[in-house]
Amino acid sequence: MSERERKKRRQTAEAELVAEIASGSSEALAALYERYAGMLLGLANTVLHDRGEAEEVLQETLLQVWKQASRYDAGRSSVSTWLVLITRSRAIDRLRNRKVVRKTVTAAQHERHATYASPEGMSNVFMLERRRRLSDELNRLPREQRRVLEMAFFEGLTQHEIADRTGTPLGTVKTRTLLAMKKLRQALANEIEDLL
Amino acid sequence: MKEDMPISLEDEQILELLDSHDVERTCVRSSAREPSLDLDRGYVETWGLLAYDVAEAPPPPELKAKLLEQVRQHTSETSPNRTPVAARPLVPRWLLPLAATLVIGVSAWQVGKVQKQAAVIASLSQELEKARGDAAELAVARELAAETRTRLEMVTAATAEYCALKPTMGSPFQHARGILVMQTESADWFLRVEGLESDGERREYRLWFMTDAESILGASFVVTGRQDAVEVRASGVPTGTQGVMITMETVGSEAASSPQPVLYGDERMRLL
């Protein structure tokens, strides 16, 4: 079996896990948790800079998965992206509600690039490879493009807010964002194909 | 690099994806409320892949157990078969207004009923009090009737003897009269005196039975104010009684210590 086939089977297996969750299998939810909890908690922690709140977001995310698994549409996103977007949405909602002063992108970036602390997290070779590939492609982006993308994703800022925050014209912000997204879309084509 | 390039429809959709946090429009089956985002799925996955730029944060071991416990609670709360009895509504919601109306109606009926019962109780209490008064009066009447019957039997008995009492010479009560009825078989006697008056708080009248040998005290009594008559009934007519007298003496004095006869009778007679 080729690497591509293994990745495809993995995606199919994840969609089947969600289907099992929809039918009431807590074991399937536990399996999904084992696979993604570390990554999702890291995401929530990066957005919120608060470990306790990040853990609450992780709980809420997986509870939402339990409640709404039957509504997941495998034709519209991968399980991984579904989980990521739920987590991000919940974390950013909390961030906006508490109206804290956001830490700088530099600080967040520093945290994101910290050394991995969990051997269990490293055990997932698929995710490790995915992480490496993304990191490589992000590093290839011009600094301004990467910055707008990260501000949008991790801080939940809209294009208008990024323009205000950075003092950059809105059109320029949109152009930088679109260029970054299109480059990534092209560079990660193989990774994305695995997810489809 | 061009910083302000023209924006196409797809570009607008990509920016909309980035600005929106609405997972419903991105990953979940389309609903009538929110139209789905019609965008190349590759961009959705690209957006999702950005999360892999962060360091993994290993969750604490208890977090998984806590999640599964929450799942278990959610399942038990939403499963109709597993709903705890205590959590189930006892009655359908639609029945509550009807039940409330019924309770109010029953309460009003109960209040009316209690008020009627209170009125009945008050009426019965009055009747009971009246009956108690009547009973007391009846008891007195019965006692009086019994006494009257006893006296009637006594005075009409074939063995009854009479002794008329008249004022003595020097008696202060010259208009006084008396009669003593004696039952020879039972030795019961009955005295009725008229015309005696009170002569001070420390004076009393005494009835003496006179035999051949001595005078025997039969009874003592007082007269308060101006009584029409004094009646005394007792037992113990001494054997050999020849006559009777009534003296007026000091209260507590020795028997016949200072006798002052006011009425006297020495003739026993039988009517029947």
Side-chain angles (χ1 to χ4, degrees):
Chain A
M1 185 185 293
S2 68
E3 185 74 8
R4 173 60 53 86
E5 285 173 333
R6 283 209 303 275
K7 289 179 179 176
K8 270 291 177 191
R9 289 189 65 169
R10 175 185 167 84
Q11 291 307 310
T12 305
E14 286 188 353
E16 287 173 354
L17 271 182
V18 175
E20 287 177 28
I21 292 169
S23 65
S25 168
S26 58
E27 290 81 4
L29 184 72
L32 206 62
Y33 178 94
E34 289 293 340
R35 192 169 295 179
Y36 284 105
M39 188 266 279
L40 298 176
L41 185 57
L43 170 61
N45 198 32
T46 299
V47 173
L48 292 165
H49 304 289
D50 183 299
R51 178 65 182 228
E53 274 200 288
E55 289 180 3
E56 289 176 8
V57 165
L58 176 63
Q59 291 274 99
E60 291 169 3
T61 297
L62 286 157
L63 202 57
Q64 183 174 339
V65 167
W66 174 257
K67 294 174 183 174
Q68 299 184 350
S70 60
R71 297 182 63 204
Y72 165 70
D73 188 347
R76 299 183 64 191
S77 76
S78 64
V79 172
S80 166
T81 296
W82 181 45
L83 295 174
V84 164
L85 295 186
I86 292 174
T87 305
R88 175 180 173 273
S89 177
R90 285 185 169 275
I92 288 172
D93 281 348
R94 280 179 175 248
L95 191 67
R96 288 179 173 175
N97 286 339
R98 75 188 189 196
K99 299 182 186 301
V100 295
V101 177
R102 293 177 176 85
K103 295 186 178 178
T104 63
V105 174
T106 307
Q109 193 170 349
H110 176 73
E111 185 176 339
R112 287 197 298 277
H113 292 164
T115 306
Y116 299 133
S118 166
E120 292 79 10
M122 294 295 286
S123 66
N124 190 326
V125 292
F126 290 104
M127 295 178 77
L128 180 62
E129 184 186 337
R130 190 173 288 170
R131 191 184 309 281
R132 186 187 56 76
R133 289 269 295 142
L134 179 73
S135 181
D136 288 348
E137 296 307 327
L138 282 174
N139 285 333
R140 288 194 182 94
L141 290 177
R143 182 172 173 275
E144 294 79 11
Q145 290 180 18
R146 177 171 180 165
R147 189 180 180 207
V148 291
L149 216 53
E150 290 175 338
M151 289 175 83
F153 190 82
F154 294 109
E155 298 184 61
L157 297 180
T158 63
Q159 305 298 301
H160 282 276
E161 289 168 337
I162 293 170
D164 289 344
R165 174 81 70 85
T166 59
T168 307
L170 178 60
T172 303
V173 171
K174 287 183 176 180
T175 300
R176 287 175 179 171
T177 304
L178 289 169
L179 285 172
M181 282 294 286
K182 288 179 178 179
K183 285 177 185 173
L184 281 179
R185 166 78 175 89
Q186 193 172 359
L188 297 172
N190 288 339
E191 287 293 322
I192 292 168
E193 186 65 25
D194 293 339
L195 293 170
L196 297 179
Chain B
M1 184 176 67
K2 284 177 67 177
E3 290 277 295
D4 291 305
M5 63 182 188
I7 293 178
S8 65
L9 178 61
E10 184 185 61
D11 293 343
E12 290 289 354
Q13 290 176 332
I14 293 170
L15 293 173
E16 188 183 347
L17 167 70
L18 269 58
D19 278 358
S20 170
H21 305 134
D22 192 352
V23 184
E24 295 276 310
R25 296 184 62 190
T26 312
C27 309
V28 177
R29 290 195 175 91
S30 298
S31 64
R33 188 174 58 85
E34 286 288 350
S36 61
L37 195 62
D38 185 17
L39 176 65
D40 173 12
R41 181 175 159 181
Y43 286 107
V44 176
E45 300 298 345
T46 301
W47 190 231
L49 283 172
L50 285 174
Y52 288 84
D53 191 35
V54 301
E56 283 195 5
E62 66 272 14
L63 206 60
K64 183 179 175 184
K66 194 176 169 185
L67 170 68
L68 294 176
E69 174 59 22
Q70 281 184 325
V71 164
R72 191 192 61 76
Q73 284 181 358
H74 177 262
T75 305
S76 63
E77 284 169 6
T78 54
S79 171
N81 292 334
R82 295 185 182 179
T83 303
V85 173
R88 286 184 205 151
L90 293 176
V91 293
R93 287 186 181 279
W94 61 266
L95 203 56
L96 293 177
L98 187 63
T101 306
L102 187 63
V103 167
I104 291 169
V106 169
S107 299
W109 177 72
Q110 287 283 8
V111 167
K113 191 177 176 184
V114 168
Q115 286 176 338
K116 283 182 182 176
Q117 286 176 340
V120 169
I121 289 170
S123 173
L124 289 175
S125 297
Q126 287 179 346
E127 289 184 15
L128 182 62
E129 284 300 313
K130 185 174 180 297
R132 282 175 179 162
D134 292 346
E137 289 177 9
L138 184 60
V140 171
R142 280 180 177 168
E143 285 182 10
L144 187 60
E147 178 66 20
T148 303
R149 188 182 302 113
T150 302
R151 292 178 188 177
L152 183 61
E153 288 172 355
M154 183 182 290
V155 299
T156 57
T159 55
E161 291 183 356
Y162 298 84
C163 181
L165 285 89
K166 296 176 184 177
T168 57
M169 292 288 289
S171 169
F173 310 113
Q174 288 299 312
H175 299 288
R177 295 287 185 273
I179 186 166
L180 178 72
V181 181
M182 293 170 287
Q183 260 284 2
T184 54
E185 288 184 351
S186 62
D188 293 337
W189 58 266
F190 169 72
L191 173 70
R192 176 183 172 87
V193 181
E194 297 177 3
L196 292 180
E197 296 177 12
S198 172
D199 190 31
E201 293 180 1
R202 292 187 56 79
R203 308 289 279 182
E204 67 179 6
Y205 296 96
R206 294 176 180 172
L207 172 68
W208 298 90
F209 293 96
M210 296 180 293
T211 64
D212 290 339
E214 58 184 343
S215 295
I216 300 168
L217 182 62
S220 58
F221 56 93
V222 296
V223 176
T224 55
R226 291 186 61 84
Q227 283 183 260
D228 290 339
V230 175
E231 295 179 343
V232 180
R233 186 171 66 86
S235 295
V237 177
T239 305
T241 297
Q242 300 295 321
V244 293
M245 69 175 176
I246 291 175
T247 59
M248 187 169 66
E249 303 178 35
T250 302
V251 175
S253 63
E254 291 295 324
S257 58
S258 55
Q260 182 186 355
V262 292
L263 290 174
Y264 178 82
D266 57 357
E267 292 183 22
R268 298 179 61 167
M269 66 182 90
R270 190 175 285 193
L271 290 180
L272 299 178

